[in-house]
Each structure stands twice: as C-alpha cells, then as structure tokens.
Amino acid sequence: MPDIYIKNTKIYYNNSLQPAEIIIENGKIKKIGKDFRISSSDMVIDARGALTLPAGIDVHVHFREPGMTLKENWYTGSCSAAAGGIATVIDQPNTVPPTTDRRSFEQKLKLARNKSIVDFGINGGVTGNIEKLKELWRLGVTAFGEIFMAESTGGLNINDETFEEALAEIKKLGALATIHAEDEKMRLELEQLLKDDVSYEYHSKVRPNACEASAVQSALELISKLQVRAHFCHLSTLEAVGMVRKEKYLAKRDDKKPLFTCEVTPHHLFLSTKDWERLRAFGKMNPPLRGSHSIKALVNGLNDGTIDMVASDHAPHLESEKDLDIRFAPSGVPGVETLMPLMLAAVKKNILLLSRMIMVTSRNPAKAFGLDLLGKGKLEVGFDADLMIVNPRNLQPIRAEMLHSKAGWTPFEGMDAVFPQYTLSRGEVLWTEECINAKPGRGNFLEGGGKKSKEEYEEDDENSEEAGSD
C-alpha cells in the first residue's frame, strides 16, 4: 500500500505538460504513470488538474539562528520555506557566533535538527580561519561562504590575500566556494565621496554596478588561476552577466565544463531603483537595487542559461530595524516564502518558460551543491518525494499578513504570485493551503561531500603521509 497517491495531476515531461499519477512510498517517488489501480493508500491527494512540480531548493538563506532569533529562527524560517514550496535550504554562516569552527557548527546543527521542518545544509564561514576549513569540511558543511569580498551583515568580509588563501584551501579540499562579489575598496571610497548624500538611492550609488563588476572580474581570475569550484551569489548587474556569459562561452568553445555557477535573486529580478521611493530603507540589501538595463540582462541571462539558478538571499530584519535612515538600517530583505510564487507568476506572464523555472529552482541548485547525490532536485522515480502542487491560475497578490517569517513585512507587497496548494518533503505533507502540518525537527541534515567517519579520515591521512614519503 503506497504512503501517498497523487491523482488527477499534470507533470512536465518530455517538454510538455502531461496527465499523470504519482505513487510515493517510504519518502521516495515510487511510480509515475497513468491509470494506476490503487485499492487503498495512507493518503490520496486529488490535484484536480493542478501541476505537480519539484519543490524548490533555496541555496541561500539566513535563518538568523543562533544569535538573532528576534529576526528569525530555524522553525519560523523553515515554515516560511515550506509555505512557499521550498523543501530544502542552505543556511549561510553569518550568525552569532558565525559558523567558523567545530563549536559554532555543532551549535547551529543542533538547533536546526531540533527546529527545522525542511531538509537543510549548512555552509561554513570564511574569515581568518583558514586552518579551520578542513575541520568544517569533515564535519559536513555543504560549501564555504558566502565569502564576503566587501562589508555586509555580520562583518565577515576578508581582504584580497585571505580570499586567495581561502580559495586555495577550498580547492585542496575539493569543496565549493560561494562568493559575495563586491569591491570593498571602491565601496569605501564612494562612501566617503557621497557622505553628504541623504537620498535613498545613496545605497545604490555607494555600491554601483562597477563595484560588483570589479569584484567578479577579480574572483574569476582567481578561480581560473587556482582551478577551484565556485558559485557566485546574487549577481545583480549587466556587467557581471556579460563576464559570466563570456567565461561560459570560452569554456564551451574549449569543450570544458565551467568552474563556476551563479544565482540571481527575485528582488534583483522584480525590483529596481524605481522602488526606492516606495520601499525606502526596506529596499536596502547587498548588492543593492539596480536599474532597468541590469534587470533586463538578468532576465535574459536566466532564460539563456548564463545564470544557473534563483535563490532568495532570505535575510529578514524586523520592521523597527529597517524603518531608519538608509545609512543606519541593516541590509537584507525576507524572501524564502515568495521565491517560488514569484517565479511561477513570471511563468504565467511569459517572462520565462516553465521548463526553465524548474531547472533554476530545483535541478540546477541540486547539481551545483551536490544535493542530487542525496536524492534531491528531480521529479523522477527513486528521488525524494519533494514536491509542490500548484494551480497556475490561482494568481493572487502577496500580503505580509499571509507570510510566516518573523520579519512581518515583504518588499513584494501587492505583487502577483502563485502559492502552492501542497508542499511535500520526502513524502510528508508540510503545507496544505494556509496550514503547516509538520512538527519542528522533522527536517534532515544533508551532509556535505567532505563528511566521512573518523576512521575513514585517519586512513586517508595515513595514505597521504605514505605518498608524501615516497
């Protein structure tokens, strides 16, 4: 008897939407087909013609725990994810304390295991802790970063020398470096130059397109030099998209796989400098809001494969914290719950194809971060039953009171969205139209590629010593 039988649904298969039924057993997709003769099951979901899609994977969230739980915690953040059709998240290291050693990693892991309702990975922080990266990799971090090339929330930015040392060590470990690319020297110079600017646009001026472009260029040169696997967080500019497109073209020409992937956020796709007047400091994030030419480049890059994935950079702050002068308000906006609904609305508006949306919200993130090896990212037999059921006709405006983040507000207020009717994680229903059904702590920790037993590492170390003495 199957655990869940989904009937009267449609799935995207062979480049078209097709009627289907799905059988889920032991948390996995057991069968996909038509006209199954099922006498009974633990649960029958009648989709009534709605689509069943892979649940989203958000590789860039800040759930703020430990240390900043007034803003968010693992339970509220993961509920927000589930209500938006996200079944897997990767948390960033700039918490209090930052995730930069064994003690801080184990502290965060314990909290997440006790509270998260979605499956999760944890990234390791990079500061002056180069000697700790090997230990973090062996503990099971998903990747390293985001590595801050410029100042941002948490103050984890590093200088050029430390950046290169970190990338060299990450290469040695066979791990993935995730990069927040902004030029700190340029930012500081412009901050001083624009010290008398009192406009809300100040934040976009002090971190202009050139600030990101310069940092991306420097990072690309180091990636090539060291041959390290890397991922660019939240690309936001016309110039950066052009650089990435050129590098990917050259790799393809030479019949090589690109060493890097990149992401874009919904706030850089759907908000712009025109929103400063409406949002004021609530629109402050790093990198900042951009102009229409950059937004067009980002949409084109997402459609043509230059940009690999969409991630929310969910970075919640309370309204009272954001309702300040632009210089003093913290950077960051909530977004994990609105990522998939906004992307589904973009499909409905013909901004991108459904097939591409599926790639950039599930399959590509899973592959880039090694989660496909853990059964994530595909609506296929044998993979985890991480699914969302949506009716694309149910377009509705986003309202802050609908959402589950502690932030209590959204920069996307009033914008069109398509929210899920169901969200499933490993065959368990987390969300059914306005109701969270999961208990805290049911989410699994998804161990990174460096996680091995103590005995395995001791054997590896002995083999390395023997090889070095030959």
Side-chain angles (χ1 to χ4, degrees), residues 47-265:
R48 301 180 185 276
L51 308 184
T52 298
L53 305 173
I57 297 174
D58 191 347
V59 301
H60 193 148
V61 303
H62 300 265
F63 279 173
R64 302 302 195 202
E65 191 172 21
M68 295 180 278
T69 52
L70 284 176
K71 304 172 191 282
E72 198 75 284
N73 61 50
W74 274 97
Y75 179 66
T76 58
S78 62
C79 285
S80 195
I86 301 286
T88 303
V89 299
I90 299 176
D91 192 63
Q92 305 303 305
N94 55 337
T95 42
V96 181
T99 316
T100 53
D101 57 20
R102 174 183 287 273
R103 184 175 181 180
S104 56
F105 171 82
E106 290 180 343
Q107 179 184 6
K108 179 179 282 190
L109 178 58
K110 182 178 180 180
L111 290 164
R113 278 181 163 156
N114 286 336
K115 295 185 178 183
S116 183
I117 70 167
V118 300
D119 292 350
F120 61 91
I122 295 174
N123 276 3
V126 177
T127 53
N129 64 331
I130 307 301
E131 75 287 351
K132 300 289 186 182
L133 301 187
K134 183 176 182 180
E135 177 180 57
L136 285 166
W137 184 234
R138 292 182 170 188
L139 287 168
V141 296
T142 307
F144 289 100
E146 54 186 298
I147 303 172
F148 293 92
M149 297 177 70
E151 180 274 334
S152 197
T153 303
L156 298 187
N157 50 297
I158 57 178
N159 60 34
D160 293 345
E161 182 180 354
T162 304
F163 183 52
E164 182 166 359
E165 290 176 5
L167 292 188
E169 178 64 15
I170 292 167
K171 161 65 176 177
K172 190 186 302 181
L173 294 171
L176 177 70
T178 69
I179 301 169
H180 179 131
E182 291 185 283
D183 187 315
E184 177 68 354
K185 182 180 179 182
M186 186 183 298
R187 186 195 72 82
L188 290 171
E189 289 174 352
L190 288 169
E191 190 176 68
Q192 181 61 30
L193 185 67
L194 298 169
K195 62 183 179 181
D196 296 324
D197 190 331
V198 295
S199 67
Y200 288 110
E201 292 87 350
Y202 161 84
H203 193 61
S204 290
K205 295 175 186 176
V206 84
R207 296 171 183 256
N209 286 30
C211 187
E212 178 174 275
S214 172
V216 168
Q217 184 60 48
S218 297
L220 284 170
E221 290 171 3
L222 273 180
I223 291 166
S224 178
K225 173 185 174 182
L226 300 171
Q227 293 292 290
V228 60
R229 291 191 306 119
H231 172 78
F232 285 104
C233 303
H234 42 53
L235 288 190
S236 65
T237 63
L238 168 71
E239 294 83 353
V241 172
M243 292 175 188
V244 166
R245 183 177 284 114
K246 178 183 177 182
E247 291 297 319
K248 288 193 171 185
Y249 166 77
L250 293 174
K252 185 176 181 180
R253 182 197 66 184
D254 297 337
D255 199 26
K256 295 179 180 178
K257 182 180 178 181
L259 285 165
F260 64 90
T261 54
C262 57
E263 72 190 41
V264 65
T265 68

Side-chain angles (χ1 to χ4, degrees), residues 4-16:
I4 296 180
Y5 169 43
I6 303 174
K7 66 179 184 178
N8 296 327
T9 191
K10 293 179 182 177
I11 64 170
Y12 189 82
Y13 181 73
N14 280 348
N15 298 316
S16 67

